[in-house]
CSV table of all heavy atoms in Angstrom, one decimal:
chain,number,residue,atom,x,y,z
E,104,PRO,N,15.3,2.1,26.1
E,104,PRO,CA,16.3,1.8,25.1
E,104,PRO,C,16.5,3.1,24.2
E,104,PRO,O,15.6,3.9,24.1
E,104,PRO,CB,15.7,0.7,24.3
E,104,PRO,CG,14.7,0.1,25.2
E,104,PRO,CD,14.2,1.1,26.1
E,105,GLY,N,17.6,3.2,23.6
E,105,GLY,CA,17.9,4.3,22.7
E,105,GLY,C,17.1,4.5,21.5
E,105,GLY,O,17.0,5.5,20.9
E,106,SER,N,16.3,3.4,21.2
E,106,SER,CA,15.5,3.4,20.0
E,106,SER,C,14.1,4.0,20.4
E,106,SER,O,13.2,4.1,19.5
E,106,SER,CB,15.3,2.0,19.4
E,106,SER,OG,14.7,1.1,20.4
E,107,TYR,N,13.8,4.3,21.6
E,107,TYR,CA,12.6,4.9,22.0
E,107,TYR,C,12.6,6.4,21.9
E,107,TYR,O,13.6,7.1,22.2
E,107,TYR,CB,12.2,4.5,23.5
E,107,TYR,CG,11.7,3.1,23.7
E,107,TYR,CD1,12.1,2.1,22.8
E,107,TYR,CD2,10.8,2.8,24.7
E,107,TYR,CE1,11.6,0.8,23.0
E,107,TYR,CE2,10.4,1.6,24.9
E,107,TYR,CZ,10.7,0.6,24.0
E,107,TYR,OH,10.2,-0.7,24.2
E,108,ARG,N,11.5,7.0,21.5
E,108,ARG,CA,11.3,8.4,21.4
E,108,ARG,C,9.9,8.8,21.9
E,108,ARG,O,9.0,8.0,22.0
E,108,ARG,CB,11.4,8.9,19.9
E,108,ARG,CG,12.7,8.6,19.2
E,108,ARG,CD,13.9,9.5,19.8
E,108,ARG,NE,13.6,10.9,19.8
E,108,ARG,CZ,13.9,11.7,18.8
E,108,ARG,NH1,14.6,11.3,17.7
E,108,ARG,NH2,13.7,13.0,18.9
E,109,LEU,N,9.8,10.1,22.2
E,109,LEU,CA,8.5,10.6,22.5
E,109,LEU,C,8.0,11.2,21.2
E,109,LEU,O,8.6,12.1,20.6
E,109,LEU,CB,8.5,11.8,23.6
E,109,LEU,CG,8.9,11.3,25.0
E,109,LEU,CD1,9.0,12.6,25.9
E,109,LEU,CD2,8.0,10.3,25.5
E,110,ALA,N,6.8,10.7,20.7
E,110,ALA,CA,6.3,11.2,19.4
E,110,ALA,C,6.1,12.7,19.4
E,110,ALA,O,6.4,13.3,18.4
E,110,ALA,CB,5.0,10.4,19.1
E,111,CYS,N,5.7,13.3,20.5
E,111,CYS,CA,5.5,14.7,20.5
E,111,CYS,C,6.7,15.6,20.4
E,111,CYS,O,6.6,16.7,20.0
E,111,CYS,CB,4.7,15.1,21.8
E,111,CYS,SG,5.7,14.9,23.3
E,112,GLN,N,7.9,15.0,20.6
E,112,GLN,CA,9.1,15.7,20.6
E,112,GLN,C,9.9,15.4,19.3
E,112,GLN,O,11.0,15.9,19.1
E,112,GLN,CB,10.0,15.4,21.8
E,112,GLN,CG,9.3,15.8,23.1
E,112,GLN,CD,9.2,17.2,23.3
E,112,GLN,OE1,10.2,18.0,23.3
E,112,GLN,NE2,8.0,17.7,23.4
E,113,THR,N,9.4,14.6,18.5
E,113,THR,CA,10.1,14.0,17.3
E,113,THR,C,9.7,14.6,16.0
E,113,THR,O,8.5,14.6,15.7
E,113,THR,CB,10.0,12.5,17.3
E,113,THR,OG1,10.4,11.9,18.5
E,113,THR,CG2,10.8,11.9,16.2
E,114,LEU,N,10.6,15.2,15.3
E,114,LEU,CA,10.4,15.7,13.9
E,114,LEU,C,10.9,14.7,12.9
E,114,LEU,O,12.0,14.2,13.1
E,114,LEU,CB,11.0,17.1,13.8
E,114,LEU,CG,10.6,18.2,14.8
E,114,LEU,CD1,11.3,19.5,14.5
E,114,LEU,CD2,9.1,18.3,14.8
E,115,VAL,N,10.2,14.5,11.9
E,115,VAL,CA,10.5,13.5,10.9
E,115,VAL,C,11.0,14.2,9.6
E,115,VAL,O,10.4,15.1,9.1
E,115,VAL,CB,9.3,12.7,10.5
E,115,VAL,CG1,9.6,11.6,9.5
E,115,VAL,CG2,8.7,12.0,11.7
E,116,ASN,N,12.2,13.8,9.2
E,116,ASN,CA,12.9,14.4,8.0
E,116,ASN,C,13.2,13.4,6.9
E,116,ASN,O,14.0,13.7,6.0
E,116,ASN,CB,14.2,15.1,8.4
E,116,ASN,CG,13.9,16.3,9.4
E,116,ASN,OD1,13.1,17.1,9.1
E,116,ASN,ND2,14.4,16.2,10.6
E,117,GLY,N,12.6,12.2,7.0
E,117,GLY,CA,12.9,11.2,5.9
E,117,GLY,C,12.1,9.9,6.3
E,117,GLY,O,11.4,9.9,7.3
E,118,PRO,N,12.3,8.9,5.6
E,118,PRO,CA,11.6,7.6,5.8
E,118,PRO,C,11.9,7.0,7.2
E,118,PRO,O,13.1,6.9,7.5
E,118,PRO,CB,12.0,6.7,4.7
E,118,PRO,CG,13.1,7.4,3.9
E,118,PRO,CD,13.2,8.8,4.4
E,119,VAL,N,10.9,6.6,7.9
E,119,VAL,CA,11.1,5.9,9.2
E,119,VAL,C,10.0,4.8,9.4
E,119,VAL,O,9.0,4.9,8.8
E,119,VAL,CB,11.0,6.9,10.4
E,119,VAL,CG1,12.1,7.9,10.4
E,119,VAL,CG2,9.6,7.6,10.5
E,120,SER,N,10.4,3.9,10.2
E,120,SER,CA,9.4,2.8,10.6
E,120,SER,C,9.3,2.9,12.1
E,120,SER,O,10.3,2.9,12.9
E,120,SER,CB,9.9,1.4,10.2
E,120,SER,OG,9.9,1.3,8.8
E,121,ILE,N,8.0,3.0,12.6
E,121,ILE,CA,7.7,3.2,14.0
E,121,ILE,C,6.8,2.1,14.5
E,121,ILE,O,5.9,1.7,13.9
E,121,ILE,CB,6.9,4.6,14.1
E,121,ILE,CG1,7.7,5.7,13.5
E,121,ILE,CG2,6.4,4.8,15.5
E,121,ILE,CD1,9.0,6.1,14.3
E,122,VAL,N,7.1,1.7,15.8
E,122,VAL,CA,6.2,0.8,16.5
E,122,VAL,C,5.6,1.6,17.6
E,122,VAL,O,6.2,2.2,18.5
E,122,VAL,CB,7.0,-0.4,17.1
E,122,VAL,CG1,6.1,-1.2,18.0
E,122,VAL,CG2,7.6,-1.3,16.0
E,123,THR,N,4.2,1.7,17.6
E,123,THR,CA,3.5,2.4,18.6
E,123,THR,C,3.3,1.5,19.8
E,123,THR,O,3.3,0.3,19.7
E,123,THR,CB,2.1,2.8,18.1
E,123,THR,OG1,1.4,1.6,17.6
E,123,THR,CG2,2.2,3.8,17.0
E,124,LYS,N,3.2,2.1,21.0
E,124,LYS,CA,3.0,1.4,22.3
E,124,LYS,C,3.9,0.2,22.4
E,124,LYS,O,3.5,-1.0,22.4
E,124,LYS,CB,1.5,0.9,22.4
E,124,LYS,CG,0.6,2.1,22.4
E,124,LYS,CD,-0.9,1.6,22.6
E,124,LYS,CE,-1.5,1.5,21.2
E,124,LYS,NZ,-2.9,1.2,21.2
E,125,PRO,N,5.3,0.4,22.3
E,125,PRO,CA,6.2,-0.7,22.3
E,125,PRO,C,6.0,-1.6,23.6
E,125,PRO,O,5.8,-1.2,24.7
E,125,PRO,CB,7.6,-0.1,22.3
E,125,PRO,CG,7.3,1.4,22.6
E,125,PRO,CD,5.9,1.7,22.4
E,126,SER,N,6.2,-2.9,23.3
E,126,SER,CA,5.9,-3.9,24.4
E,126,SER,C,7.0,-4.0,25.5
E,126,SER,O,6.7,-4.5,26.5
E,126,SER,CB,5.8,-5.3,23.7
E,126,SER,OG,7.0,-5.6,23.1
E,127,ALA,N,8.1,-3.4,25.3
E,127,ALA,CA,9.1,-3.4,26.4
E,127,ALA,C,8.7,-2.7,27.6
E,127,ALA,O,9.1,-3.0,28.7
E,127,ALA,CB,10.5,-2.8,25.9
E,128,ARG,N,7.7,-1.8,27.4
E,128,ARG,CA,7.1,-1.1,28.6
E,128,ARG,C,6.5,-2.1,29.5
E,128,ARG,O,6.5,-1.9,30.7
E,128,ARG,CB,6.1,0.0,28.1
E,128,ARG,CG,6.8,1.1,27.3
E,128,ARG,CD,5.8,2.1,26.8
E,128,ARG,NE,5.4,2.9,28.0
E,128,ARG,CZ,4.3,3.6,28.0
E,128,ARG,NH1,3.4,3.5,27.1
E,128,ARG,NH2,4.0,4.3,29.1
E,129,LYS,N,5.8,-3.1,29.0
E,129,LYS,CA,5.2,-4.1,29.8
E,129,LYS,C,6.2,-4.8,30.7
E,129,LYS,O,6.0,-5.1,31.8
E,129,LYS,CB,4.4,-5.1,28.9
E,129,LYS,CG,3.3,-4.5,28.2
E,129,LYS,CD,2.6,-5.5,27.3
E,129,LYS,CE,1.6,-4.9,26.4
E,129,LYS,NZ,1.1,-5.8,25.4
E,130,GLY,N,7.4,-5.1,30.1
E,130,GLY,CA,8.4,-5.8,30.8
E,130,GLY,C,8.9,-5.0,32.0
E,130,GLY,O,9.2,-5.5,33.1
E,131,GLN,N,8.9,-3.7,31.9
E,131,GLN,CA,9.3,-2.8,33.0
E,131,GLN,C,8.2,-2.9,34.1
E,131,GLN,O,8.6,-2.8,35.3
E,131,GLN,CB,9.5,-1.4,32.5
E,131,GLN,CG,10.7,-1.2,31.7
E,131,GLN,CD,11.1,0.2,31.5
E,131,GLN,OE1,10.4,1.1,31.8
E,131,GLN,NE2,12.2,0.4,30.9
E,132,GLY,N,7.0,-3.0,33.8
E,132,GLY,CA,6.0,-3.2,34.8
E,132,GLY,C,6.2,-4.4,35.6
E,132,GLY,O,6.0,-4.5,36.8
E,133,LYS,N,6.6,-5.5,34.9
E,133,LYS,CA,6.9,-6.8,35.7
E,133,LYS,C,8.1,-6.6,36.6
E,133,LYS,O,8.1,-7.1,37.7
E,133,LYS,CB,7.2,-7.9,34.7
E,133,LYS,CG,6.0,-8.3,33.9
E,133,LYS,CD,6.4,-9.4,32.9
E,133,LYS,CE,5.2,-9.8,32.0
E,133,LYS,NZ,5.5,-10.7,31.0
E,134,ALA,N,9.1,-5.8,36.2
E,134,ALA,CA,10.3,-5.5,37.0
E,134,ALA,C,9.8,-4.8,38.3
E,134,ALA,O,10.3,-5.0,39.3
E,134,ALA,CB,11.3,-4.7,36.2
E,135,ASN,N,8.9,-3.9,38.1
E,135,ASN,CA,8.4,-3.1,39.2
E,135,ASN,C,7.5,-4.0,40.1
E,135,ASN,O,7.2,-3.6,41.3
E,135,ASN,CB,7.6,-1.9,38.7
E,135,ASN,CG,8.5,-0.9,38.1
E,135,ASN,OD1,9.7,-0.8,38.4
E,135,ASN,ND2,7.9,0.0,37.3
E,136,ALA,N,7.0,-5.1,39.7
E,136,ALA,CA,6.1,-5.9,40.5
E,136,ALA,C,6.9,-6.6,41.6
E,136,ALA,O,6.3,-6.7,42.7
E,136,ALA,CB,5.5,-7.0,39.6
E,137,ALA,N,8.2,-6.9,41.5
E,137,ALA,CA,8.9,-7.5,42.6
E,137,ALA,C,9.0,-6.6,43.8
E,137,ALA,O,8.6,-7.1,44.9
E,137,ALA,CB,10.3,-7.9,42.1
Side-chain angles (χ1 to χ4, degrees):
S106 60
Y107 280 30
R108 297 292 305 267
L109 294 180
C111 68
Q112 300 293 299
T113 304
L114 303 180
V115 182
N116 296 304
V119 294
S120 293
I121 302 294
V122 172
T123 56
K124 299 180 265 185
S126 60
R128 295 179 75 202
K129 293 176 187 170
Q131 287 191 355
K133 289 178 186 173
N135 290 338

